[in-house]
Amino acid sequence: MKIGITKNGTLVEARKADRNEKYFCPSCQRALKLCSGQYKKNYFAHQSFTKK
């Protein structure tokens, strides 16, 4: 997912997102986490609440 929303309602692109900010899904309002990797660009993923 490339777009997240802040608690203030501002839409933010994952590539411009701040790691210290909390983001939510624009569709379902569930918590998102900012992900990145060595070969992938920043993106948002739904936060999992299950423990392994």
Side-chain angles (χ1 to χ4, degrees):
M1 182 179 314
K2 299 288 184 188
I3 301 287
I5 192 167
T6 65
K7 58 185 170 187
N8 297 333
T10 306
L11 290 174
V12 177
E13 292 181 50
R15 64 186 176 99
K16 296 181 179 179
D18 179 8
R19 289 222 172 264
N20 298 319
E21 183 74 41
K22 293 189 186 228
Y23 297 98
F24 302 92
C25 177
S27 298
C28 68
Q29 282 70 44
R30 288 179 41 205
L32 296 175
K33 62 180 177 178
L34 182 60
C35 302
S36 63
Q38 185 175 358
Y39 302 106
K40 288 189 172 188
K41 294 180 181 179
N42 287 1
Y43 63 95
F44 290 111
H46 284 91
Q47 199 168 15
S48 176
F49 294 103
T50 59
K51 290 189 177 187
K52 294 181 179 181

